[in-house]
Amino acid sequence: MGAHIEGSEAAGADVSAAGDGMGEDGRTGDSGAGRAARRDEAVRAAVEQGLLGPDTPIVGLLDVTGIRESAAELRVAFDAVVAPGTPVLHAFAVKATPLVPVLRLLREEGIGAEVASPGELALARTAGLGPEVTVLDSPAKTPRELREALALGIAVNADNPQELDRIDGLVRSAAGRSPIGIRVNPQIGGGSIEATSTATATSKFGVALRDEGAREWVVRAYLDRPWLTRLHAHTGSQGVPLSLMARGVAETYELAEEINRRAGRRQVDTLDIGGGLPVNFASDATTPTYAQYARMLAEEVPGLFDGRYGLVTEFGRSLLAKHGTVVARVEYAKSAGGRPVAVTHAGVQVATRTVYAPGVWPLRIAAYDAKGRPKEGPAVVQDVAGPACFSGDLLAEGCALPLLEQGDFAAALDTGAYYFAHHYAYNSLVRPGVYGFGPGREGGVAFAVVREAQTVEEVVAESGGAQVDALVGGLAPWGLS
Ligand SMILES: *Cc1c(COP(=O)(O)O)cnc(C)c1O
């Protein structure tokens, strides 16, 4: 445990033998067979090496080889469509997997960071990401955050007119190295998931372009401010089809063209097209692929890639989701109303969206036996429950799997983004440890700690442990206590 994980060449050479990934050009997507084989090996090794067991009944696992592959696929996909020499920054949306070692790994693969809070910016800086590869977007930046970003020279996308006012004041005093843009909402409509659709008519993000007077306001804002050189839109997300995403990008491009026409110069020199490539949660296959999306953009918005505009992307889920697995021990196997229920240690604390909105965010579950081997046997319809004290705490309801028994393991697949990195402190359950896995120096699977498991002592400290008497003594006016 804790063994060093080798660099990309070694990892690629070792693991791509399973026939997955980069060999194909992404035209059809890969089947994910190599990734599934690596996952099975890792679960088994985690049990054998004692990472998982009765006293550590839940872990998050990250496939280092897979993350490197996805990063490479992203780079290759856009390199294939942009004019030679086009500046391209792929900024990983940190909110998808806010873990410092992950940001560092991606940095090594040529990927920067899109941040949306002081915490995310601090994670990116800790991972060694410089201002030139960092983009700050957020709908609620405070004056202090804006001042810090401009002082550091980080790219900033203003969300609305009030924020632009604040930036006006800062630009006058700051050295002004930050590339600055405005986020617009082309209002092209949402996808199948309301809560994560960003381009609906009433979305809270950006300047709503189709609202009365808004487009003209945006153009004037640029004409009045020669230092506004970027334009930003993020219209995709899970549930949004590629064609709709491409339309959002096309409308943003058209707006940049209009601004530049009216400015009589190439004032907007960089388009930030956001992220939002959806992820396939139904099988191991990677679909859609970055290559498909990049080719679609090249067909629908050819001017975008002809060399006149630099490009920024902000993918999150699609870079990490398929490389993460939550593995949880089956503490008890019982039966209720004739249906088998496996009570595991993974529930709402690691799969919050799935537990609260199972119809929208279903997860695949894989069954492993007590030794971490893929479980064999006839499929049995069963519930896979979590440890939290409410009845809806189910990772999966009525799913058909080999019957899970006490001491087996249930794995929630495709949970590398917006799942175990997004702990929800229900029932004061501790944050599970997160480990990266890959081929070890001496062969076999090796693990590295990405995030230590939280301890119960830390839970107490974060729950006011130092303020034990706060509410039973006399209260005092704020500042005098
Ligand atoms: C969340 C977010 C992203 C990343 O979205 P994914 O669906 O994870 O790719 C990119 N840009 C902005 C502004 C975001 O809010």
Side-chain angles (χ1 to χ4, degrees):
M1 236 202 70
H4 175 79
I5 290 174
E6 311 245 303
S8 55
E9 267 100 321
D14 249 66
V15 185
S16 59
D20 188 15
M22 292 303 294
E24 304 154 55
D25 74 347
R27 202 164 286 273
T28 50
D30 71 65
S31 70
R35 186 165 51 236
R38 289 197 298 272
R39 181 175 66 225
D40 287 350
E41 277 181 44
V43 172
R44 182 159 179 177
V47 175
E48 278 173 4
Q49 296 177 30
L51 194 67
L52 260 172
D55 295 321
T56 42
I58 174 170
V59 297
L61 299 179
L62 283 169
D63 175 359
V64 174
T65 305
I67 296 171
R68 288 191 192 274
E69 285 181 357
S70 284
E73 283 163 13
L74 171 58
R75 286 195 325 262
V76 168
F78 281 89
D79 285 353
V81 295
V82 298
T86 302
V88 179
L89 170 64
H90 297 296
F92 173 63
V94 171
K95 77 167 182 283
T97 310
L99 296 168
V100 173
V102 169
L103 304 183
R104 174 67 139 246
L105 171 65
L106 289 172
R107 181 73 203 110
E108 204 180 289
E109 291 294 329
I111 309 287
E114 185 265 353
V115 300
S117 72
E120 289 181 359
L121 175 57
L123 298 186
R125 295 185 74 191
T126 304
L129 278 77
E132 71 288 354
V133 293
T134 306
V135 178
L136 174 66
D137 300 324
S138 124
K141 308 175 197 79
T142 63
R144 180 193 295 189
E145 278 178 82
L146 288 169
R147 203 175 315 118
E148 183 186 13
L150 296 195
L152 290 169
I154 288 170
V156 174
N157 290 311
D159 182 83
N160 59 66
Q162 292 179 349
E163 187 172 306
L164 195 59
D165 278 349
R166 285 183 174 174
I167 294 175
D168 278 340
L170 292 167
V171 163
R172 264 177 245 124
S173 53
R177 283 173 304 131
S178 287
I180 301 175
I182 296 179
R183 176 170 182 172
V184 294
N185 168 13
Q187 290 165 299
I188 49 166
S192 61
I193 307 175
E194 177 67 28
T196 56
S197 289
T198 54
T200 55
T202 55
S203 162
K204 72 174 178 181
F205 297 111
V207 178
L209 274 189
R210 294 184 188 177
D211 283 10
E212 204 183 331
R215 190 182 181 93
E216 185 58 25
W217 178 85
V218 172
V219 175
R220 284 248 57 97
Y222 279 80
L223 298 182
D224 292 345
R225 295 170 182 78
W227 42 265
L228 276 176
T229 56
R230 291 193 173 184
L231 189 62
H232 174 222
H234 166 65
T235 56
S237 67
Q238 191 66 23
V240 175
L242 289 195
S243 53
L244 195 61
M245 291 173 64
R247 253 186 55 213
V249 173
E251 300 224 356
T252 310
Y253 166 81
E254 288 304 335
L255 177 59
E257 292 281 281
E258 180 182 342
I259 292 166
N260 288 350
R261 228 174 8 250
R262 288 177 56 185
R265 66 189 185 100
R266 296 244 315 281
Q267 177 172 345
V268 176
D269 61 18
T270 301
L271 289 175
D272 181 338
I273 63 171
L277 194 75
V279 164
N280 167 30
F281 284 95
S283 76
D284 279 312
T286 302
T287 174
T289 63
Y290 290 122
Q292 286 165 338
Y293 182 44
R295 274 195 298 270
M296 177 181 280
L297 288 176
E299 279 162 27
E300 308 271 318
V301 204
L304 177 63
F305 296 140
D306 67 10
R308 289 174 301 135
Y309 292 100
L311 184 72
V312 177
T313 73
E314 305 173 340
F315 296 101
R317 180 178 287 110
S318 54
L319 271 168
L320 258 293
K322 296 204 85 66
H323 309 306
T325 308
V326 173
V327 191
R329 195 157 186 270
V330 178
E331 195 66 50
Y332 301 108
K334 52 201 273 191
S335 168
R339 182 183 285 184
V341 181
V343 179
T344 79
H345 287 272
V348 74
Q349 89 276 31
V350 287
T352 314
R353 278 187 172 158
T354 296
V355 169
Y356 286 137
V360 186
W361 298 100
L363 284 173
R364 286 184 300 144
I365 308 294
Y368 294 92
D369 69 15
K371 293 192 162 157
R373 299 169 302 200
K375 185 133 193 181
E376 312 277 344
V380 174
V381 172
Q382 56 196 302
D383 288 354
V384 182
C389 298
F390 67 99
S391 56
D393 187 30
L394 298 172
L395 269 188
E397 191 173 4
C399 66
L401 291 173
L403 185 67
L404 284 164
E405 296 166 290
Q406 186 172 39
D408 287 347
F409 294 94
L413 310 184
D414 307 326
T415 48
Y418 304 105
Y419 279 98
F420 55 76
H422 293 63
H423 183 80
Y424 173 53
Y426 201 97
N427 273 142
S428 301
L429 290 161
V430 297
R431 277 191 294 270
V434 175
Y435 305 87
F437 66 84
R441 273 194 196 130
E442 271 104 59
V445 180
F447 295 95
V449 178
V450 171
R451 181 186 75 191
E452 295 279 5
Q454 195 181 28
T455 64
V456 167
E457 291 70 30
E458 286 165 341
V459 171
V460 172
E462 289 174 23
S463 306
Q467 279 78 42
V468 61
D469 288 326
L471 302 179
V472 295
L475 307 183
W478 188 248
L480 296 179
S481 50

